[in-house]
């Protein structure tokens, strides 16, 4: 099925309409308000096949149809915002020995040994999913639209990879959604500085800039050509003025000199106009913000360097089959932790962390 039509049928369903596939297309019943808004009958057969669409009562709805564009615009304006809770792990938490093995298998701490120091506690780790529509303008008559998405752990502000994102997308959801408190949403998305959200924006902005650079590079050949044409046109004009100037009587020569000045000004204006026409731009229009509650177990640990224990904790997330990434408790870097003589840090902040091994 045409992706545009598929999207529109989902939109109809979301607005309370009905869609039923048949041999001749999809029978669609629209709520009266929606039918009026879209200027369509309340009952119709929608198809993406132009041959079928010749029959009476059948409407050809494919990418580019005004009804689809209107629905897409409405969906983008309303946005797709919500809290999604994943199904809680069934059964008891993993035993201390199993957790101990997993910790040592998944994590390393320089100069330190990780020991489970207590019972795991059931937690929900907030993860943000942010989607945006990016419009790239690479010249006055060339624009592209693309969808970007970014998943960020709202606690560590670390971006999740595509594998983790698809695991979360496929993770089972509970039959009945859990209660969502405003405090929860505030803490993950709307806190004073909303670090997770700021990080998501930063990631989207950086990806969009990279993509814009690649698209602009494709347009730069046309840019160079147009600049080249304009330059050679003005070079010719100026050469001809110079020739006439050199052969002219003094009074006429003065006039021609003034013409040359204004021609140079006109050339500079024209070249600036061409540069402006090819100046790449992009616009980010966010349309999705999901707060996912990813269930897991918080495992209290002690990281030991010799007799010295540093208390810490790691979150085991069964949906990801991994521990959540934790930042360095001292400098907030995303780095391998390092147990120092006086504090727990990481490879980037622990003075002499690496020197320790030297004699
Ligand atoms: Zn550090």
């Amino acid at each position: 099925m045409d992706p545009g039509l598929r999207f529109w049928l989902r939109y109809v369903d979301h607005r309370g309409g009905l869609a039923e596939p048949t041999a001749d297309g999809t029978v669609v019943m629209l709520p009266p308000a929606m039918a009026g808004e879209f200027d369509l009958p309340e009952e119709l057969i929608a198809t993406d096949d132009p041959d079928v669409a010749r029959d009476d009562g059948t409407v050809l709805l494919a990418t580019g149809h005004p009804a689809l564009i209107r629905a897409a615009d409405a969906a983008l304006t309303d946005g797709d915002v919500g809290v999604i809770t994943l199904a809680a792990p069934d059964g008891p938490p993993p035993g201390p020995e199993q957790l101990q093995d997993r910790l040592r298998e998944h994590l390393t701490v320089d100069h330190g040994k990780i020991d489970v120091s207590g019972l795991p506690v059931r937690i929900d780790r907030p993860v943000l999913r942010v989607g945006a529509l990016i419009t790239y303008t690479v010249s006055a008559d060339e624009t592209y639209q693309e969808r970007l998405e970014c998943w960020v752990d709202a606690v560590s502000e670390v971006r999740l990879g595509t594998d983790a994102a698809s695991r979360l997308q496929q993770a089972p959801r509970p039959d009945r959604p859990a209660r969502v408190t405003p405090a929860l949403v505030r803490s993950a998305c709307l806190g004073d500085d909303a670090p997770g959200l700021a990080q998501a924006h930063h990631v989207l902005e950086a990806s969009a800039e990279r993509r814009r650079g690649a698209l602009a590079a494709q347009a730069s050949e046309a840019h160079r050509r147009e600049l080249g044409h304009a330059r050679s046109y003005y070079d010719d004009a100026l050469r001809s003025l110079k020739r006439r100037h050199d052969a002219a009587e003094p009074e006429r020569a003065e006039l021609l000199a003034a013409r040359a000045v204004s021609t140079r000004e006109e050339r500079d204006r024209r070249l600036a106009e061409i540069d402006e026409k090819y100046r790449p731009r992009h616009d980010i229009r966010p349309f999705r913000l999901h707060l996912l509650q990813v269930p897991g177990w918080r495992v209290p640990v002690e990281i030991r360097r010799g007799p010295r224990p540093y208390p810490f904790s790691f979150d085991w997330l069964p949906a990801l089959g991994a521990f959540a990434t934790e930042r360095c408790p001292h400098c907030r870097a995303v780095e391998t932790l390092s147990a120092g003589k006086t504090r727990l840090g990481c490879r980037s902040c622990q003075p002499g962390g690496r020197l320790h091994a030297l004699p």
Side-chain angles (χ1 to χ4, degrees):
M1 193 188 277
D2 177 81
L5 178 57
R6 202 165 52 223
F7 160 76
W8 191 73
L9 293 174
R10 275 207 310 273
Y11 181 76
V12 167
D13 178 61
H14 167 74
R15 291 279 306 265
L18 290 171
E20 187 74 39
T22 66
D24 304 327
T26 308
V27 178
V28 180
M29 313 269 280
L30 297 177
M34 192 184 164
E37 197 182 310
F38 280 74
D39 201 18
L40 286 169
E42 284 180 32
E43 188 175 339
L44 62 121
I45 299 173
T47 178
D48 57 359
D49 183 344
D51 288 333
V52 175
R54 294 206 183 92
D55 299 344
D56 279 351
T58 334
V59 181
L60 178 67
L61 277 168
T63 304
H65 190 282
L68 268 53
I69 294 170
R70 176 185 272 272
D73 204 48
L76 286 169
T77 306
D78 291 352
D80 173 17
V81 178
V83 177
I84 294 164
T85 310
L86 302 184
D90 42 5
E97 253 170 60
Q98 204 184 349
L99 286 169
Q100 182 76 70
D101 290 348
R102 252 179 229 168
L103 279 165
R104 291 187 180 163
E105 181 191 329
H106 286 258
L107 304 163
T108 31
V109 177
D110 288 352
H111 319 297
K113 195 157 128 311
I114 310 171
D115 288 322
V116 172
S117 61
L119 292 173
V121 179
R122 206 13 215 101
I123 50 114
D124 284 310
R125 180 119 177 166
V127 168
L128 297 174
R129 177 189 184 184
V130 181
L133 180 76
I134 321 287
T135 306
Y136 301 97
T137 307
V138 292
S139 76
D141 36 38
E142 245 182 304
T143 60
Y144 300 92
Q145 282 194 322
E146 284 174 357
R147 192 168 62 100
L148 271 183
E149 199 161 69
C150 159
W151 297 63
V152 172
D153 181 318
V155 178
S156 65
E157 300 155 52
V158 172
R159 184 187 187 180
L160 268 58
T162 44
D163 179 54
S166 76
R167 270 164 170 264
L168 290 183
Q169 237 170 323
Q170 285 155 23
R173 313 279 163 99
D175 298 334
R176 226 166 359 136
R179 237 189 84 223
V180 173
T181 61
L184 167 75
V185 178
R186 239 190 333 269
S187 69
C189 307
L190 311 165
D192 288 341
D193 47 355
L197 209 51
Q199 175 65 356
H201 177 80
H202 178 73
V203 167
L204 290 176
E205 184 67 46
S207 320
E209 250 169 55
R210 266 198 308 277
R211 182 78 182 119
R212 188 184 80 182
L215 291 169
Q218 289 167 22
S220 68
E221 185 47 41
H223 184 188
R224 262 198 303 278
R225 248 198 328 269
E226 210 168 322
L227 280 178
H229 287 157
R231 278 207 192 94
S232 67
Y233 168 82
Y234 284 104
D235 285 351
D236 284 351
L238 287 166
R239 257 196 306 274
S240 148
L241 282 171
K242 168 111 176 52
R243 259 198 318 273
R244 284 154 66 197
H245 170 269
D246 292 350
E249 298 297 320
E251 203 172 312
R252 173 124 181 94
E254 207 173 300
L255 223 76
L256 288 165
R259 280 259 306 273
V261 169
S262 67
T263 303
R264 270 188 212 101
E265 283 168 5
E266 188 189 310
R267 176 194 62 191
D268 294 348
R269 263 200 312 277
R270 181 67 197 126
L271 294 180
E273 263 169 32
I274 295 171
D275 282 341
E276 177 59 25
K277 175 179 164 187
Y278 285 97
R279 191 170 64 81
R281 276 169 282 247
H282 74 265
D283 171 59
I284 297 184
R285 185 177 178 189
F287 65 88
R288 172 173 295 142
L289 174 59
H290 288 175
L291 168 58
L292 267 87
Q293 291 284 85
V294 182
W297 300 101
R298 180 155 297 162
V299 187
V301 299
E302 273 179 358
I303 297 174
R304 291 184 170 277
R305 172 167 179 173
R308 181 119 200 212
Y310 299 107
F312 201 65
S313 67
F314 292 105
D315 290 353
W316 174 253
L317 307 175
L320 295 180
F323 288 97
T325 303
E326 303 297 346
R327 284 181 183 264
C328 166
H330 183 71
C331 75
R332 302 271 302 145
V334 180
E335 252 296 3
T336 302
L337 294 177
S338 170
K341 284 183 179 148
T342 53
R343 62 173 164 78
L344 183 64
C346 73
R347 282 183 185 173
S348 62
C349 70
Q350 199 67 272
R354 286 166 197 272
L355 296 177
H356 174 69
L358 296 173

